[in-house]
Amino acid sequence: MKAVFVTGGKQYTVAEGDVLFIEKLAVEAEQTVKFDQVLAVLDGENSKIGAPVVAGAVVEAKVVKNGKGKKLDIIRYKAKKGEKRHIGHRQPYTKVEITKIAL
């Protein structure tokens, strides 16, 4: 069984047991999270597609950890002006493991 759900402005297609990195959630590690904005549940002939969401469908996940991604280096440089600027950014994420897809 697979499901398509929305979190952090992005759509994810998942099955039970999948591990994925999503936008940071305000949840501690080892807690469970429920995603109720499920767009579709795909299970062969018993597939359900929402308009816009499937009523009563829930994707449950366990939070593995919260962290930051790799550093992005942004460098701005203007030739012949002696102007240089260096900026770094690390995007925060939440790593989750999908435990259950329920209708």
Side-chain angles (χ1 to χ4, degrees):
M1 179 183 290
K2 290 187 175 187
V4 179
F5 70 96
V6 177
T7 183
K10 298 180 180 84
Q11 297 178 6
Y12 299 94
T13 303
V14 295
E16 290 183 11
D18 286 354
V19 176
L20 56 128
F21 296 89
I22 61 175
E23 294 294 320
K24 185 179 178 188
L25 301 174
V27 181
E28 297 295 323
E30 301 301 321
Q31 291 184 345
T32 59
V33 179
K34 292 184 180 181
F35 302 105
D36 57 352
Q37 286 190 323
V38 180
L39 302 178
V41 177
L42 310 170
D43 188 22
E45 295 179 5
N46 299 329
S47 297
K48 291 191 177 184
I49 298 181
V53 294
V54 178
V58 175
V59 175
E60 292 183 13
K62 183 180 93 173
V63 175
V64 177
K65 73 173 188 172
N66 291 312
K68 291 184 179 180
K70 291 186 176 182
K71 186 169 187 175
L72 297 177
D73 289 325
I74 297 101
I75 298 172
R76 293 184 183 172
Y77 175 76
K78 292 191 178 177
K80 301 176 188 170
K81 304 293 182 196
E83 187 175 327
K84 233 183 343 183
R85 186 172 179 200
H86 180 258
I87 306 168
H89 174 74
R90 292 180 69 189
Q91 184 70 27
Y93 67 83
T94 300
K95 183 178 180 181
V96 295
E97 180 181 359
I98 306 300
T99 56
K100 183 178 175 184
I101 299 172
L103 282 173

